[in-house]
Amino acid sequence: KLETTFVASGKTHKLYYSIPDRYDSLKSYPLVVGLHYCGGTALSYRNSLTPIADSLQMIIVCPDNSSNVIPDDQLDIVTAAADSARAAYNIDTTAMFLTGMSCNGEFTLRQGLLRFYPFAGIFPWVPWISAKKEFNKYLIESDMPTVLSVGTFDDNFWLLMDLFDSLKAE
């Protein structure tokens, strides 16, 4: 587990990494950029994702945005975090993924479908969408591979299933 900083949208942000215990700089690794939920921190989100760093041999990087949603006009928070990981570690650029939870899960879904960065896929966790009328915000015809993580006890489970079923690349 490592911590550093980076600059995006004119502000310094903390950046939390989880690197496989047996990292080998000669080997390339998949990358997961993880966006914390609103009210959460990048540190706690990174800690929650850490088990996959070793079990799946992936590098995890989580940019901190002060417990807030990442604004649409600040996509550089995500791209700078990914680019920082690519500069520091041997990343398999064909295996980069974006995840986020709750408010940033919604950001992950909406922006990820637009393919704003060369992610191989997105997996939003319980993206906060509260009404079917919001579906028009999403590029339903996107071919971005998408895995939607939601549980049957989540308040918006059925709504998210309706949205997922309408995605071209479900």
Side-chain angles (χ1 to χ4, degrees), residues 1-2 17-23 53-54 58-60 89:
K1 295 179 183 178
L2 304 168
Y17 286 96
S18 188
I19 310 301
D21 284 339
R22 293 188 180 99
Y23 177 78
D54 285 327
M58 301 179 101
I59 292 177
I60 311 296
Y89 299 98

Side-chain angles (χ1 to χ4, degrees), residues 29-120:
Y29 292 83
L31 173 68
V32 174
V33 178
L35 308 177
H36 59 75
Y37 57 92
C38 290
T41 66
L43 177 61
S44 65
Y45 201 57
R46 186 275 317 263
N47 290 345
S48 296
L49 294 172
T50 290
I52 69 172
D54 285 327
S55 67
L56 298 179
Q57 294 295 293
M58 301 179 101
I59 292 177
I60 311 296
V61 62
C62 297
D64 194 77
N65 193 40
S66 304
S67 298
N68 296 311
V69 68
I70 296 174
D72 291 337
D73 64 349
Q74 294 179 18
L75 284 172
D76 65 330
I77 292 172
V78 178
T79 59
D83 290 345
S84 293
R86 290 173 65 182
Y89 299 98
N90 189 353
I91 302 295
D92 178 352
T93 58
T94 66
M96 298 186 300
F97 303 91
L98 177 64
T99 188
M101 187 172 191
S102 192
C103 64
N104 280 319
E106 191 279 333
F107 173 92
T108 295
L109 180 60
R110 187 169 32 80
Q111 293 295 347
L113 291 172
L114 297 173
R115 291 188 166 271
F116 71 94
Y117 194 81
F119 291 114

Side-chain angles (χ1 to χ4, degrees), residues 128-157:
W128 190 250
I129 300 165
S130 59
K132 199 166 191 164
K133 66 183 178 184
E134 295 178 26
F135 286 11
N136 64 353
K137 295 181 190 176
Y138 304 93
L139 182 59
I140 300 297
E141 294 300 316
S142 176
D143 62 351
M144 173 62 81
T146 304
V147 173
L148 186 62
S149 300
V150 60
T152 55
F153 288 115
D154 289 314
D155 291 339
N156 59 350
F157 174 79

Side-chain angles (χ1 to χ4, degrees), residues 152-165:
T152 55
F153 288 115
D154 289 314
D155 291 339
N156 59 350
F157 174 79
W158 292 110
L159 183 66
L160 291 174
M161 291 299 93
D162 285 347
L163 176 60
F164 184 75
D165 287 344

